[in-house]
Amino acid sequence: MQIQDFFRYTFNGIRAQRLRSFLTTLGIAVGIGAVVLLTSLGEGLHRFVLAEFTQFGTNLIAINPGKVTTHGVSGALLSNVRPLTIEDTAILKQLPQILDVVSVVQGNGAIKAGGRQRRATIYGVDASAARVWKFAVAAGRFLPDDPPRSARSFVVLGSKVRQELFGSNQALGMRIRIGGELFRVIGSMESKGQMLGFDLDDAVYIPAAKAMALFNRESLMEIDLLHTAGSSSSVVAEKVRKALQARHGKEDFTITTQEKMLEILGGVLNTLTIAVGALGGISLLVGGVGILTIMSITVNERTGEIGLLRAMGVEQSQILTLFLGEAVLLAAIGGLAGLGLGVGGSWLFSLAVPALPAHISWTYVASAELLAAFVGLLAGVLPARRAARLHPVEALRAE
Amino acid sequence: MISLQNIERIFQVGDEEVHALRDVSMTATDGDHIAIMGPSGSGKSSLLNILGLLDRPDTGSYELDGVKVSELDEKEQARIRRHKIGFVFQFFHLVPRLTAFDNIALPLMLAGMKQDERQARVTAALAAFGLGNRAQHRPDQLSGGQRQRVAIARATIMQPSVILADEPTGNLDRNSGIEVVEILEELNRQGITLIMVTHDPELGRRAQRQILMVDGRIEREAEG
Amino acid sequence: MQIRDILSFSLLAATANRGRTLLMLLAMAIAVSSVVVLISLGDSARHYVIDQFSTLGTNLLIVLPGRSETTGGPPPLLGATPRDLTLADAMALNRARTVRRITPIIAGSAPISVRSLEREMLVLGSTSELYEIRHLALSQGSFLPPGEPTRAEAVCVIGQKGKKELFGNQPAIGRWLRIGDRRFRVIGVLSSSGVSLGEDLGEVVIIPVAAAQALFNTSSLFRILVEATSPEGIEQTRKSILDTIRVRHEGEDDITVITQDAVLTTFDRIFKALTLSVAGIAAISLVVAGIMIMNVMLVAVSNRRAEIGLLKALGASRTQILGLFLTESTILSSIGAGIGLVLALLGMRLAAFLFPQFPLQLAPWSSAISLGVALITGVVFGVLPARRAADLEPAFALMRR
Ligand SMILES: Nc1ncnc2c1ncn2[C@@H]1O[C@H](COP(=O)(O)OP(=O)(O)OP(=O)(O)O)[C@@H](O)[C@H]1O
Ligand SMILES: [Mg+2]
């Protein structure tokens, strides 16, 4: 049998029962559509989160005090007997392949300017923070490169704090009060938006040493460092580990490379996408049962035709392929329609929620279509085998 | 050349055994015109099914053109059906969703012939059976006689050496029946072996040999 | 036609084609059982988390240093603040009428060592009240002794797992261990209450709050736990805490008070939303099963044309035919849903057997929902085929064959 005849014949069988075929393919289409839509949403979320995490750049390494990993609370917030210090930062700066290092102290407090007051996050950082975290300054400049221990009392305002405290008035050069101490505004940041719930605009940036004095603590909460693009994160992390261990005598800190974090995060998000896709797959399973049912009915109804074909010398294996082909074709058409549904749905979703654009992953789409055909094949096996095994005489008598 | 030796066919119905064929032996030479007659349930269809390789005898042997076909496997039997045997049924057995053209082309298609080659042969067959203007009609748009002519065209399109017809006129009015039989006889005159089951004694008499079956046995055979 | 007649007629029709009927039931059962199982899993998870949270304490309020302008969302991690929460702040809270007891907490991590063995663990500085407030339980010894919180006695209570790691199977009570550069005597071992919300109490060391202050060289508290006398007293307590601290902090509102209630409601909401969306996704399969039922019913209608024609010829009305076919599809989907429910029940039993540590059980309302949905599915997807059957012209229906 010629291949185009094969298709024509099976297609003819599908077309002869339009409504029935339409409903069968619709079942598969809904299933595949659900899988495609859900994996697209998962993939969109994946990209969204990764973009959030990489907005500070990808060559970042964070060092936190303590070897705390199991308590669910960041080591930085807990008290610690062996703190990270500003001196550690200075040592790390000397290492090769490291471009910039930032000391970080983070807290919360009231900020007063004139008659206004706002509670906001207070970041104690270095001049290098703007470079490491890829901040853009809207007006003025970022903190100057003062010696860390004797930094001057300057403050840079996040866009929201600037707006809340000064409105449309001039902020640069003004004096504001943070936790009782006076700071002079030397710059304000462009809006950076939220990062995973942390509002980076509702914050002010002051020198790390000043923040430590303000919060009455001796240690840093984190040291962030930026390494050269060409060097491997793990190699740099190892060097950092050695250098700090030499100073502290012990490994009493935790190093997190962005690379590692992205890897773990990526893994988690992939699992999520697959899990959600699998939930959609339940519908596909039901759709598969639908094909099985309809193909059984079809074989029943066409018993006479099968007998005729056998009488005309068609082999059992050919009958099998004919009906299998019809099942696969049904499923594949359903799959294509499902792709349309899924892609359209993702598109609509992107329109409705622009912040979280669904992303159609063509690997998932291709596998979904293959999956549909496979479901058809699987569902077709039983009825097609029954068709092939019909005794020709019995089949002819059925009419 | 057909030769059946001591064919038995037994159906198991519940606890009971039904002897559809008992010790049937017969031969047919190429170009024969044979009518098989007998009362209902006498085993005519059963015999025809065995001749057509649609069913296997329980015992006995069947030789077709010197080959012991009863011992072949299902694949080879299918090949023989495809090339040597044409069937015509009482209920036509046309594929309802295919046009007359496509129904006739079916065996060619299944044999893997290219579409343009099929075109000419099927068109010729349509014309030869007086169906030239019915090519694109589906079975439900044809009369009974026309349907049977399509079925005969389909049975002969592969140029088989044998045509097996099981009551081909059973579902037709008298005129259409005669028309169909004349077509079959014409094919027989061209050299095809024709074996036809019929209930109609008048049609039976037109055959060159008549086999009368009773209760699964060949009761007697008459010439002329 | 009597209801009984309609039912038996439909059942007969459904059982006449056993294969396809079974397949339809299978499809419906898959869809229903997956919806029910997912709802039940989500519901079980919700109960689990809320139970866990409830065991944290009763009528609990948590006081954190620092306050954020933006409220809502998960409990905030605010970092350090210019003005600390001190032990004196904590003691001042005790005075309010609606407060039953309070306990201050300093949390930190430090290396704990016994001879050459060393482990990094969570160190909690607190008072004897922690025992009641957090509903802790001891397997051996006693908890921190009551008394002035400013007294830094060198005693500690350790978690079950930490005890195993440091002392093995030997008794730990009365032994000394080293936290940072200080020595503490073990006076109690917590019983293994397992994980509660991320804080692994198996690997924790509890010492007097004053000792923790010295150890970590800090006067600021990580948080203060406050237990109100009654559920009604919680709101009152919250206000009095805020007032007390404001007075002590020179008129500044620089703390955050989280009530257990608020956290519970938040978790409840989050889990409900999650359960609903997951079940919603699974419910797509119900639609697919519905489409399938519609399809098979359409086939049945066209196969049973002659029968329908005959019924009409015998005087069946349009509504009667409609009712017959609707009944058939509804019976099918209901039986399918019933089977699905049984499957879900078995599935959850199996899951509960495999994971005995989680309270897994069928959500009681999931069965009602799935049966309702199945009925609706049967009717909605049965309408089209039933109308087809009802609209058949009797003559035409009888014509073929
Ligand atoms: N598949 C079967 N199972 C059981 N019994 C069968 C089967 N096929 C045929 N028979 C029996 O074998 C006998 C011969 O049947 P067959 O169909 O050959 O008769 P027939 O001569 O063609 O009759 P008719 O003229 O009515 O077509 C009958 O008694 C019939 O009941
Ligand atoms: Mg017969």
Side-chain angles (χ1 to χ4, degrees):
Chain A
M1 208 165 164
Q2 303 258 318
I3 188 84
Q4 67 265 33
D5 286 331
F6 179 82
F7 276 117
R8 237 163 49 98
Y9 191 83
T10 48
F11 200 71
N12 204 295
I14 290 172
R15 228 183 28 194
Q17 294 282 355
R18 259 168 244 252
L19 182 58
R20 181 191 298 182
S21 302
F22 168 74
L23 289 175
T24 311
T25 50
L26 183 63
I28 290 287
V30 171
I32 289 287
V35 171
V36 169
L37 177 63
L38 291 169
T39 50
S40 297
L41 293 185
E43 191 67 17
L45 180 72
H46 191 156
R47 296 198 167 222
F48 174 75
V49 172
L50 285 194
E52 287 271 281
F53 264 84
T54 49
Q55 62 176 322
F56 295 132
T58 44
N59 301 321
L60 274 181
I61 294 178
I63 303 147
N64 294 97
K67 275 250 84 131
V68 183
T69 45
T70 50
H71 306 302
V73 184
S74 152
L77 288 184
L78 299 173
S79 309
N80 205 280
V81 290
R82 295 194 194 112
L84 281 177
T85 62
I86 285 187
E87 283 66 41
D88 288 330
T89 308
I91 293 290
L92 294 180
K93 208 169 267 177
Q94 316 286 311
L95 293 179
Q97 291 171 324
I98 288 180
L99 293 176
D100 265 315
V101 186
V102 196
S103 315
V104 186
V105 177
Q106 181 243 326
N108 174 279
I111 295 138
K112 292 179 192 154
R116 291 170 182 247
Q117 169 177 341
R118 182 169 182 81
R119 292 206 143 263
T121 310
I122 299 163
Y123 283 102
V125 292
D126 298 327
S128 46
R131 298 188 292 273
V132 174
W133 291 346
K134 306 218 171 1
F135 278 163
V137 176
R141 59 203 170 86
F142 200 69
L143 297 174
D145 224 339
D146 287 339
R149 282 288 177 192
S150 53
R152 288 166 285 172
S153 297
F154 289 140
V155 61
V156 177
L157 304 180
S159 62
K160 189 161 181 185
V161 173
R162 204 214 86 92
Q163 183 60 34
E164 289 293 324
L165 292 182
F166 294 100
S168 53
N169 298 333
Q170 174 68 278
L172 284 186
M174 303 300 282
R175 284 180 182 279
I176 64 173
R177 197 173 278 278
I178 302 174
E181 249 200 271
L182 276 177
F183 287 82
R184 193 147 63 87
V185 178
I186 57 164
S188 60
M189 316 293 304
E190 268 178 13
S191 173
K192 184 96 179 167
Q194 297 225 338
M195 191 197 75
L196 302 174
F198 290 100
D199 192 345
L200 296 172
D201 299 331
D202 199 4
V204 296
Y205 301 86
I206 60 175
K210 291 285 174 199
M212 283 160 71
L214 187 67
F215 299 138
N216 187 23
R217 55 185 290 152
E218 261 313 293
S219 62
L220 300 177
M221 291 180 171
E222 184 169 310
I223 298 175
D224 283 353
L225 54 85
L226 183 68
H227 62 81
T228 52
S231 50
S232 124
S233 289
S234 48
V235 172
V236 176
E238 200 42 47
K239 282 192 183 129
V240 169
R241 188 189 317 282
K242 287 232 175 71
L244 283 182
Q245 220 162 336
R247 263 182 64 80
H248 293 202
K250 268 191 187 152
E251 190 174 333
D252 55 358
F253 47 85
T254 310
I255 298 180
T256 321
T257 66
Q258 179 110 3
E259 210 174 83
K260 192 97 199 159
M261 204 149 90
L262 290 179
E263 214 171 90
I264 293 170
L265 207 63
V268 169
L269 290 168
N270 266 338
T271 316
L272 190 82
T273 305
I274 290 171
V276 171
L279 280 183
I282 299 172
S283 312
L284 200 55
L285 181 66
V286 177
V289 177
I291 291 198
L292 176 59
T293 316
I294 287 303
M295 285 310 294
S296 310
I297 292 174
T298 302
V299 168
N300 247 342
E301 286 181 351
R302 289 212 230 138
T303 305
E305 179 184 329
I306 294 165
L308 170 79
L309 289 177
R310 294 295 303 284
M312 287 191 311
V314 175
E315 294 159 22
Q316 282 186 322
S317 60
Q318 280 178 304
I319 302 264
L320 191 80
T321 358
L322 273 178
F323 281 88
L324 265 187
E326 195 167 320
V328 171
L329 202 60
L330 268 177
I333 294 172
L336 274 181
L339 293 192
L341 280 180
V343 170
S346 321
W347 182 72
L348 280 180
F349 185 87
S350 297
L351 282 190
V353 191
L356 200 114
H359 184 271
I360 294 144
S361 154
W362 293 105
T363 357
Y364 280 124
V365 167
S367 5
E369 176 64 26
L370 277 180
L371 184 66
F374 183 70
V375 164
L377 193 69
L378 223 57
V381 166
L382 275 180
R385 255 182 30 168
R386 204 157 59 79
R389 289 188 176 177
L390 277 176
H391 194 285
V393 177
E394 300 293 323
L396 282 167
R397 265 151 64 117
E399 194 92 331
Chain B
M1 178 72 194
I2 289 173
S3 157
L4 290 185
Q5 295 290 325
N6 314 105
I7 297 290
E8 298 268 346
R9 183 71 176 100
I10 302 165
F11 291 106
Q12 195 76 36
V13 182
D15 294 336
E16 244 178 284
E17 286 191 341
V18 178
H19 283 254
L21 295 174
R22 305 171 196 254
D23 195 22
V24 170
S25 300
M26 67 165 277
T27 54
T29 34
D30 292 350
D32 269 0
H33 178 188
I34 303 175
I36 301 178
M37 318 219 300
S40 188
S42 57
K44 307 183 292 294
S45 296
S46 301
L47 178 59
L48 212 64
N49 288 337
I50 298 229
L51 284 171
L53 291 175
L54 292 177
D55 197 11
R56 285 170 192 270
D58 293 309
T59 55
S61 77
Y62 173 16
E63 254 180 52
L64 177 64
D65 295 339
V67 183
K68 280 213 167 200
V69 288
S70 49
E71 283 159 24
L72 295 179
D73 68 13
E74 122 81 26
K75 219 176 153 124
E76 284 161 325
Q77 286 195 343
R79 198 172 45 79
I80 290 176
R81 288 202 295 269
R82 189 152 67 227
H83 294 288
K84 293 199 168 164
I85 302 170
F87 286 93
V88 178
F89 306 96
Q90 178 179 356
F91 295 104
F92 322 127
H93 274 301
L94 299 178
V95 180
R97 63 200 143 78
L98 298 182
T99 60
F101 183 98
D102 285 334
N103 262 295
I104 297 173
L106 208 49
L108 301 177
M109 188 187 95
L110 293 168
M113 185 183 278
K114 288 223 180 70
Q115 201 160 358
D116 39 354
E117 286 176 54
R118 292 198 311 244
Q119 183 74 31
R121 269 175 78 169
V122 176
T123 312
L126 279 163
F129 290 98
L131 294 161
N133 50 356
R134 291 281 182 264
Q136 295 311 316
H137 290 217
R138 277 199 312 271
D140 57 0
Q141 297 159 333
L142 297 173
S143 74
Q146 286 169 331
R147 286 185 212 179
Q148 198 60 301
R149 275 185 275 155
V150 171
I152 295 171
R154 186 181 60 194
T156 53
I157 196 82
M158 292 289 283
Q159 295 169 332
S161 51
V162 185
I163 286 184
L164 302 173
D166 196 348
E167 300 183 41
T169 61
N171 254 4
L172 300 176
D173 61 70
R174 185 133 198 99
N175 284 342
S176 308
I178 297 214
E179 203 180 340
V180 162
V181 168
E182 276 168 357
I183 290 174
L184 288 172
E185 285 169 356
E186 172 57 28
L187 289 167
N188 174 246
R189 272 193 290 282
Q190 290 165 16
I192 300 180
T193 309
L194 172 64
I195 303 180
M196 181 168 74
V197 172
T198 180
H199 275 292
D200 186 337
E202 199 174 311
L203 285 183
R205 274 194 291 279
R206 297 168 70 133
Q208 144 206 16
R209 294 168 58 194
Q210 292 127 28
I211 293 178
L212 178 69
M213 295 199 65
V214 177
D215 198 17
R217 275 182 232 282
I218 295 184
E219 183 78 3
R220 72 183 134 84
E221 201 187 317
E223 298 273 328
Chain C
M1 233 172 159
Q2 305 268 303
I3 294 283
R4 253 191 59 192
D5 294 334
I6 294 183
L7 284 179
S8 67
F9 186 92
S10 304
L11 264 177
L12 208 69
T15 43
N17 258 305
R18 210 160 299 156
R20 79 176 65 149
T21 303
L22 284 179
L23 284 174
M24 275 205 277
L25 294 183
L26 173 68
M28 202 65 201
I30 292 174
V32 168
S33 66
S34 57
V35 171
V36 172
V37 163
L38 287 169
I39 289 182
S40 298
L41 285 181
D43 211 45
S44 298
R46 186 171 65 94
H47 278 300
Y48 177 70
V49 169
I50 286 177
D51 282 355
Q52 287 287 314
F53 231 103
S54 306
T55 59
L56 276 185
T58 30
N59 309 332
L60 195 64
L61 294 99
I62 302 161
V63 184
L64 315 174
R67 189 163 65 85
S68 164
E69 215 78 45
T70 33
T71 48
L77 288 174
L78 298 167
T81 44
R83 199 181 285 97
D84 299 331
L85 262 183
T86 63
L87 204 47
D89 286 335
M91 301 327 290
L93 297 181
N94 238 337
R95 277 175 230 132
R97 204 167 36 81
T98 51
V99 170
R100 174 168 290 153
R101 44 174 89 91
I102 65 116
T103 190
I105 289 181
I106 289 180
S109 85
I112 320 283
S113 57
V114 173
R115 281 195 228 105
S116 60
L117 271 175
E118 186 181 294
R119 289 279 183 282
E120 185 93 14
M121 288 190 202
L122 180 68
V123 177
L124 293 182
S126 191
T127 61
S128 59
E129 278 83 6
L130 181 70
Y131 187 73
E132 264 87 34
I133 293 183
R134 282 289 319 266
H135 300 323
L136 296 178
L138 291 171
S139 65
Q140 285 161 24
S142 55
F143 200 68
L144 301 179
E148 266 307 298
T150 44
R151 265 193 57 202
E153 244 185 297
V155 293
C156 68
V157 175
I158 62 177
Q160 188 77 248
K161 194 167 160 217
K163 186 241 151 195
K164 276 254 164 55
E165 286 182 353
L166 293 171
F167 297 103
N169 287 329
Q170 299 185 349
I173 305 292
R175 300 274 299 272
W176 290 81
L177 49 72
R178 189 175 279 281
I179 305 178
D181 51 2
R182 282 150 197 276
R183 275 158 48 86
F184 291 83
R185 190 163 52 87
V186 180
I187 57 167
V189 179
L190 294 174
S191 68
S192 52
S193 64
V195 183
S196 95
L197 292 172
E199 267 182 63
D200 190 349
L201 289 179
E203 276 194 277
V204 76
V205 179
I206 302 172
I207 60 175
V209 66
Q213 283 183 326
L215 179 70
F216 296 118
N217 186 25
T218 176
S219 63
S220 67
L221 299 179
F222 181 56
R223 47 192 65 167
I224 304 171
L225 303 183
V226 179
E227 185 181 322
T229 46
S230 65
E232 297 75 43
I234 290 177
E235 197 43 43
Q236 170 81 44
T237 310
R238 209 175 80 86
K239 286 210 186 76
S240 82
I241 290 172
L242 287 173
D243 292 342
T244 311
I245 300 292
R246 189 180 313 116
V247 171
R248 295 184 53 85
H249 287 191
E250 291 141 21
E252 281 226 41
D253 268 326
D254 58 359
I255 55 163
T256 303
V257 180
I258 305 170
T259 63
Q260 199 178 6
D261 255 19
V263 177
L264 280 183
T265 355
T266 308
F267 270 103
D268 200 58
R269 241 194 9 245
I270 291 173
F271 269 91
K272 274 199 179 129
L274 236 123
T275 306
L276 279 184
S277 33
V278 167
I281 293 172
I284 298 173
S285 60
L286 272 175
V287 175
V288 179
I291 293 174
M292 187 181 148
I293 287 187
M294 170 151 89
N295 206 357
V296 174
M297 288 303 295
L298 280 170
V299 172
V301 169
S302 81
N303 282 356
R304 277 151 59 186
R305 270 185 141 114
E307 175 191 325
I308 296 163
L310 185 70
L311 286 174
K312 285 203 159 180
L314 294 178
S317 71
R318 191 177 175 282
T319 24
Q320 274 178 323
I321 304 269
L322 204 67
L324 279 179
F325 279 83
L326 268 183
T327 310
E328 188 172 334
S329 61
T330 310
I331 286 182
L332 276 175
S333 59
S334 308
I335 295 179
I339 296 174
L341 214 53
V342 172
L343 284 182
L345 187 71
L346 293 180
M348 291 303 287
R349 282 270 166 84
L350 183 71
F353 175 73
L354 293 178
F355 306 99
Q357 64 269 39
F358 296 108
L360 294 170
Q361 51 180 316
L362 214 61
W365 42 280
S366 63
S367 39
I369 285 194
S370 58
L371 281 179
V373 168
L375 282 179
I376 294 171
T377 311
V379 172
V380 166
F381 290 98
V383 163
L384 183 68
R387 280 191 40 184
R388 277 221 165 175
D391 289 343
L392 275 181
E393 289 287 338
F396 180 68
L398 281 169
M399 193 175 69
R400 288 220 354 200
R401 275 182 238 179

